[in-house]
Amino acid sequence: MEPGTVRIAVDLLGGDDAPAVVVDGALRAVRADPDLNLLLVGPSEAADAVIAALDPVDRARITVRPVRDAVRMSDHPSAAREASTVRDAVAAVRDGTADAMVSAGSTGATVTAAALGLGRWPTIRNPALVATLPAVGGPVVLLDVGGSLEPRAGILARHAVLGAAYAAVAHAIDAPRVGLLSVGTEAGKGDRARRTADPVLAAEPLPCNARYVGLVEGYDVSSGARADVVVTDGFTGNVLLKAVEGAYAMAGGPPAGGGVPRAAALLGVSGTVVVCHGAAVAADVASGIALAAHLWRHRATDQMAALLAGHAWKGHDHIIDTEVTTP
């Protein structure tokens, strides 16, 4: 277990089966990490279930912020502007009560609450959710997996930069290889956004000595042989991530060395935020809390922000998704 005291705010009402699975996940996380402190944001009676199940010595590591309102999965993301557990969890990070926050609730609401409550990095308009998959050749960083659903070339170019920095900082991958997900590896394959983004990424200076390897296909995400970072839009990435989950479940489990992630880090906001799968079970919530603790202990958000502050960004906001003619 990594050393260092860390305080994580947990949205008790986020997720399909909250608060029961969140309570169970919080218990697992506390018992596994003696330096972990939790701020439970939600109904007092749900938080009491965590406190009552712990040994007296561990109860001192739990604090509670009573909140009864939640953003439902069916609500519009703008509901995060109102009083709710996810908004209060973000506020705890903003005011310094917590170092990071975790929610298994509505992804749109969590992204909205984080962007409004913590602010975006100066050059990032569309925060991205990044997940790490256990590929045969080593971990593969996949983004976006649901932060921004728009498949625009400029957004894909920004995500390539974010993914390269995350792979280097969070996973210590030296000179990450970055690929753009498409339907073939030949130049000119894919839809308009991919055809436009491909030459942009080929000319984009990437941080951490990363290099663009071109277009990659779906099986490259599971093999890890061609790319350490696979870039796509949030819609495609979310569908792919859940398809991989299902495939591993049918095959009896993922490759040795790691499970399919049901938690993703939000990149591009000024704080450490982890979003768990809405259908998360207790083990998934616990792993999401562990991911948030890992990122905070390595100061991943601060390191990435510093790296990208000096990055020579191209004019991504002015990229027009026009057809690209290839020889």
Side-chain angles (χ1 to χ4, degrees), residues 92-180:
V93 177
R94 184 185 64 238
D95 63 29
T97 306
D99 300 316
M101 65 85 63
V102 175
S103 177
S106 162
T107 297
T110 305
V111 173
T112 299
L116 292 176
L118 303 174
R120 299 175 180 87
W121 292 344
T123 51
I124 302 299
R125 289 189 176 182
N126 301 89
L129 279 171
V130 56
T132 304
L133 282 78
V136 175
V140 169
V141 169
L142 175 66
L143 78 163
D144 187 6
V145 295
S148 173
L149 303 185
E150 297 182 49
R152 297 209 313 265
I155 294 175
L156 294 173
R158 271 191 166 81
H159 289 173
V161 175
L162 289 173
Y166 184 81
V169 170
H171 297 293
I173 298 176
D174 184 45
R177 301 163 298 166
V178 179
L180 177 63

Side-chain angles (χ1 to χ4, degrees), residues 12-13 19 23 40 42-52 64 66-68:
L12 284 179
L13 296 184
V23 167
L40 304 179
S44 297
E45 58 270 24
D48 289 343
V50 177
I51 297 169
V64 180
V67 181
R68 303 206 68 84

Side-chain angles (χ1 to χ4, degrees), residues 43-276:
S44 297
E45 58 270 24
D48 289 343
V50 177
I51 297 169
L54 290 172
D55 293 334
V57 69
D58 291 327
R59 292 174 185 170
R61 296 191 281 132
I62 306 293
T63 54
V64 180
R65 181 174 289 193
V67 181
R68 303 206 68 84
D69 297 320
V71 178
R72 296 170 298 179
M73 290 296 195
S74 58
D75 288 340
H76 190 273
S78 62
R81 297 173 182 268
E82 307 300 326
S84 63
T85 51
V86 68
R87 194 185 75 169
D88 272 46
V90 168
V93 177
R94 184 185 64 238
D95 63 29
T97 306
D99 300 316
M101 65 85 63
V102 175
S103 177
S106 162
T107 297
T110 305
V111 173
T112 299
L116 292 176
L118 303 174
R120 299 175 180 87
W121 292 344
T123 51
I124 302 299
R125 289 189 176 182
N126 301 89
L129 279 171
V130 56
T132 304
L133 282 78
V136 175
V140 169
V141 169
L142 175 66
L143 78 163
D144 187 6
V145 295
S148 173
L149 303 185
E150 297 182 49
R152 297 209 313 265
I155 294 175
L156 294 173
R158 271 191 166 81
H159 289 173
V161 175
L162 289 173
Y166 184 81
V169 170
H171 297 293
I173 298 176
D174 184 45
R177 301 163 298 166
V178 179
L180 177 63
L181 187 65
S182 191
V183 294
T185 60
E186 303 84 4
K189 290 284 188 177
D191 59 8
R192 181 175 296 172
R194 254 53 56 158
R195 290 192 299 266
T196 306
D198 184 31
V200 172
L201 287 175
E204 176 72 47
L206 296 174
C208 307
N209 297 316
R211 60 187 177 91
Y212 179 60
V213 298
L215 301 177
V216 298
E217 297 186 76
Y219 51 73
D220 292 310
V221 176
S222 298
S223 74
R226 293 195 61 228
D228 305 300
V229 178
V230 174
V231 176
T232 189
D233 61 276
F235 181 90
T236 305
N238 189 274
V239 171
L240 174 61
L241 181 63
K242 291 173 181 175
V244 170
E245 288 178 8
Y248 282 148
M250 292 178 64
V260 179
R262 305 198 96 182
L266 184 62
L267 306 183
V269 297
S270 299
T272 302
V273 176
V274 169
V275 179
C276 291

Side-chain angles (χ1 to χ4, degrees), residues 2 6 8 33 166 169-172 272 288-300:
E2 295 174 323
V6 61
I8 309 295
D33 185 345
Y166 184 81
V169 170
H171 297 293
T272 302
I289 294 171
L291 172 59
H294 167 78
L295 295 175
W296 170 256
R297 284 168 172 152
H298 287 264
R299 300 297 190 269

